[in-house]
Amino acid sequence: MLLITCMDSRLCPTSFTQADPGDMFIMRNAGNVVPHNQLFGENQQSALSERAALELAISTGVKDIAVCGHSDCKVATQNNL
């Protein structure tokens, strides 16, 4: 599983998924946002980390991808997401 989640340190994905270390890929970024696929072009530097995480997960056989948000997100509030 690839879990895309917020970088807010109050959110601990392994605590609510009961996963052990190494059970899933976790990609954390501001506001758990994945840019539109049109931004994955050669000249779009902002989307490279998300693209890399997706490609790595898929190339290693990950079949499930989940996007997880949470309430009272300080990152989303500060960035008006």
Side-chain angles (χ1 to χ4, degrees):
M1 169 184 265
L2 169 63
L3 180 66
I4 301 171
T5 187
C6 182
M7 67 184 193
D8 190 326
S9 62
R10 297 171 298 143
L11 180 68
C12 182
T14 55
S15 67
F16 64 83
T17 60
Q18 299 177 349
D20 290 324
D23 282 350
M24 63 181 162
F25 287 102
I26 300 173
M27 183 185 79
R28 299 178 80 135
N29 65 11
N32 56 293
V33 174
V34 178
H36 190 277
N37 65 353
Q38 289 179 345
L39 297 178
F40 285 172
E42 295 296 322
N43 298 324
Q44 300 296 329
Q45 298 296 319
S46 64
L48 291 180
S49 64
E50 289 84 0
R51 178 181 178 173
L54 288 168
E55 287 184 11
L56 177 62
I58 291 168
S59 70
T60 57
V62 168
K63 298 196 186 311
D64 298 310
I65 299 173
V67 179
C68 179
H70 62 102
S71 61
D72 193 30
C73 181
K74 301 303 183 206
V75 175
T77 302
Q78 291 172 354
N79 292 321
N80 295 319
L81 296 175

